[in-house]
Amino acid sequence: MPRLFLAPVRAVRPRAGEGTMTEGYAFGLPSWLSIADAGPTDASGERTVLPAARARSRAGLFTALVGALDLPGHVGRNWDALADSLRDRLDAGPLTLVVDEAAQLLADEPVGHLGLLLAVLGGAAGDAPHPLRVVLRDAPERVPDVRRRTARALPRR
């Protein structure tokens, strides 16, 4: 019979002004990613809001990111270009990307596309000289669905 090993998990309390974190905020999420209800988000550095309603498809996501983060137009062509552009952007300073109505993020695509996006964001967060923080934010009643979908999409460690 296989044995199950559980890594210790450290609970993280939200900072003042971040809104209510639900379902154990830090459990299973990388340090650069959080899921929050629709309350305000306190962030250091530049804070950019990405409306997920404009990013339901891969093409919509790239277009929305180019506009929101003032990235070069070639980013809309592939994931590698997005990764390079995010790293370049993070050379300039810290960034918090708040995805509003996160349940809609890449909703028209297979969950693998969300996994690719999270892998690109995680790579940028790990390699950059300045921190990247991503907040997936939605209404309290949709946060459990956002959490489940995100957990399925996160690259396995």
Side-chain angles (χ1 to χ4, degrees):
M1 173 178 236
R3 291 192 278 181
L4 178 64
F5 294 96
L6 298 175
V9 176
R10 181 174 57 95
V12 177
R13 293 183 182 169
R15 292 182 219 148
E18 280 190 319
T20 304
M21 299 295 164
T22 60
E23 294 190 2
Y25 165 68
F27 300 118
L29 295 178
S31 61
W32 54 268
L33 179 63
S34 62
I35 299 174
D37 70 14
T41 301
D42 182 28
S44 61
E46 181 183 339
R47 180 177 165 263
T48 300
V49 176
L50 178 73
R54 293 182 12 206
R56 291 183 59 88
S57 68
R58 180 177 177 230
L61 169 70
F62 284 120
T63 301
L65 284 171
V66 166
L69 297 175
D70 196 29
L71 300 176
H74 68 271
V75 167
R77 296 194 182 112
N78 65 62
W79 295 107
D80 289 333
L82 175 61
D84 291 342
S85 295
L86 281 172
R87 284 187 191 97
D88 291 345
R89 165 53 195 83
L90 290 167
D91 284 342
L95 171 66
T96 298
L97 179 63
V98 179
V99 180
D100 271 343
E101 298 182 14
Q104 294 189 51
L105 182 62
L106 293 170
D108 295 343
E109 302 287 352
V111 73
H113 285 267
L114 181 58
L116 287 170
L117 173 62
L118 293 173
V120 166
L121 293 171
D127 294 347
H130 296 285
L132 169 65
R133 181 170 175 226
V134 178
V135 180
L136 302 178
R137 188 167 67 176
D138 214 318
E141 64 274 10
R142 287 191 295 271
V143 166
D145 291 334
V146 171
R147 182 170 294 285
R148 279 189 290 275
R149 187 166 175 257
T150 302
R152 282 193 313 268
L154 278 170
R156 302 290 178 233
R157 295 182 221 175

